[in-house]
Amino acid sequence: MKFFIWLWIFLPFSDLMEVKTNTPETTSMLGKDVLLDCHFINAGSVKLEDIAVKWTVDRRSQVKTIYLFDGKTEQYHKDRITLDLMLIKEGNASIHLQDVTLEDEGDYKCTILITPDVGSSTVLLKVAAQPSVALAPVNPHLSHGETKTFFCEASQFYPQDIEIIWLLKSHGEEVPLTTKICTGLPSLIDNGTFNVSSQISMIFTEEDAGSVYICEVNHESLPRPLRRNTTILFAIPEMIPRDTGFIVGVVSVILITLVVFLGVGIMYQKQFAKAPPLSDVILPDFVPANEAMNVICNINGFRPPHQHSVVPSKPKS
């Protein structure tokens, strides 16, 4: 068998065996595992040692053998590539490629040799990385006439082609935005993936309160567009009636007038108001007959300050 293997490696054979794949083109996410399908028709009486399997990959027009089974041993076998030998006799020569990297992308060819027949099929492997999308700022509180810029960042995606669109949702309707948008070109980063940023700047008024700005990213790695939203919020000031200032002024004048009048009244009572000069007359409890009677009359708190004389009363006969 090894003689035919060496002939197979160095000499061309005509395609006499039917070898096919159910997935001529497949896409794997970066870092995931993928099955590269290869099936052939086995008569059933052929022994395992009579079957040879070879897998090659064509990357940028450079062909490299990545797996070879010569009927007894595996060659070019790497940790990330596995093939179940027990399935070969059943006509299954599929390989598992683990932890897919961007360098794994290419055209994979499965060739089966059962002397003297040979056949092959090809699987195109594409590698993709889904973007992570971030939008900032989220739900900002704005003031009337304020200009705000929103940034939408799509990072670590592959391949390079990507689409970023902006939409405005207002009153239940979504409208694509086409102005005041700046989207950069994707930039390559160290791990071979890409980043890109898009921004939009708008001037906002209270009429924009509740509006939703949407950043939508379309990429072949996504089963559906990926969206990020931000809602426009406004701090609502306390409603003050237009005539409040007039009312406050009138009330203030009234209060000040009352205070002034009260102060003037107190000062007038203390300084200028007239008060009766005499208090109640105090008589003695007992007065003997034919004797003079002392009568007490206190004079205080009188205004104006004129002196009054009191003539003693004559004794009653």
Side-chain angles (χ1 to χ4, degrees), residues 9-299:
I9 295 175
F10 294 103
L11 297 177
F13 279 76
S14 60
D15 293 337
L16 301 175
M17 180 182 297
E18 183 181 1
V19 179
K20 62 181 181 179
T21 177
N22 295 322
T23 54
E25 181 177 317
T26 185
T27 300
S28 172
M29 292 296 106
L30 184 65
K32 302 297 183 179
D33 300 344
V34 65
L35 174 68
L36 302 180
D37 181 75
C38 177
H39 286 81
F40 61 96
I41 297 176
N42 186 0
S45 60
V46 180
K47 297 179 181 180
L48 180 61
E49 53 266 27
D50 295 329
I51 304 174
V53 179
K54 181 173 69 171
W55 278 89
T56 60
V57 61
D58 184 349
R59 299 190 187 102
R60 304 177 185 91
S61 300
Q62 295 182 354
V63 180
K64 179 182 179 181
T65 301
I66 60 172
Y67 180 87
L68 178 61
F69 174 69
D70 63 4
K72 291 184 179 180
T73 60
E74 295 175 295
Q75 300 177 37
Y76 302 98
H77 179 51
K78 297 183 179 180
D79 293 339
R80 295 193 302 117
I81 300 176
T82 59
L83 188 151
D84 190 346
L85 298 178
M86 300 303 296
L87 296 178
I88 293 180
K89 289 187 62 176
E90 300 177 7
N92 187 347
S94 304
I95 60 172
H96 284 87
L97 181 58
Q98 300 174 346
D99 193 18
V100 172
T101 68
L102 296 178
E103 294 299 321
D104 291 327
E105 196 171 52
D107 288 298
Y108 287 78
K109 186 176 182 179
C110 169
T111 305
I112 306 298
L113 171 63
I114 302 177
T115 308
D117 299 328
V118 64
S120 64
S121 66
T122 302
V123 178
L124 173 59
L125 174 62
K126 293 183 176 181
V127 180
Q130 293 184 351
S132 297
V133 180
L135 175 61
V138 177
N139 304 339
H141 286 75
L142 306 179
S143 57
H144 178 81
E146 181 177 352
T147 300
K148 201 67 177 179
T149 300
F150 296 94
F151 298 89
C152 186
E153 178 82 17
S155 57
Q156 299 193 32
F157 58 89
Y158 185 89
Q160 179 178 349
D161 292 340
I162 196 170
E163 181 185 30
I164 298 179
I165 62 176
W166 290 88
L167 303 102
L168 171 62
K169 184 177 181 180
S170 180
H171 305 293
E173 296 184 359
E174 291 185 3
V175 179
L177 301 175
T178 57
T179 60
K180 300 182 180 180
I181 298 173
C182 179
T183 302
L185 296 175
S187 58
L188 182 66
I189 58 178
D190 293 341
N191 64 357
T193 60
F194 295 87
N195 291 347
V196 69
S197 179
S198 180
Q199 66 183 55
I200 184 171
S201 297
M202 303 293 289
I203 300 175
F204 296 94
T205 64
E206 285 83 354
E207 296 179 355
D208 299 307
S211 299
V212 179
Y213 281 76
I214 304 169
C215 171
E216 180 178 286
V217 176
N218 295 277
H219 190 258
E220 66 177 70
S221 65
L222 299 170
R224 57 182 177 275
L226 188 59
R227 288 184 165 193
R228 294 292 182 266
N229 303 337
T230 182
T231 302
I232 306 303
L233 304 175
F234 274 82
I236 302 177
E238 295 182 2
M239 301 304 294
I240 301 177
R242 294 181 180 179
D243 58 350
T244 299
F246 174 77
I247 295 175
V248 172
V250 171
V251 172
S252 300
V253 170
I254 293 174
L255 291 177
I256 293 173
T257 302
L258 290 176
V259 171
V260 170
F261 273 100
L262 181 62
V264 170
I266 294 174
M267 293 179 60
Y268 178 80
Q269 289 294 331
K270 289 184 176 181
Q271 301 294 331
F272 302 105
K274 293 183 179 181
L278 300 178
S279 64
D280 294 336
V281 176
I282 301 174
L283 300 175
D285 295 334
F286 175 77
V287 178
N290 300 320
E291 290 188 7
M293 179 179 64
N294 293 326
V295 177
I296 300 174
C297 177
N298 292 324
I299 301 175

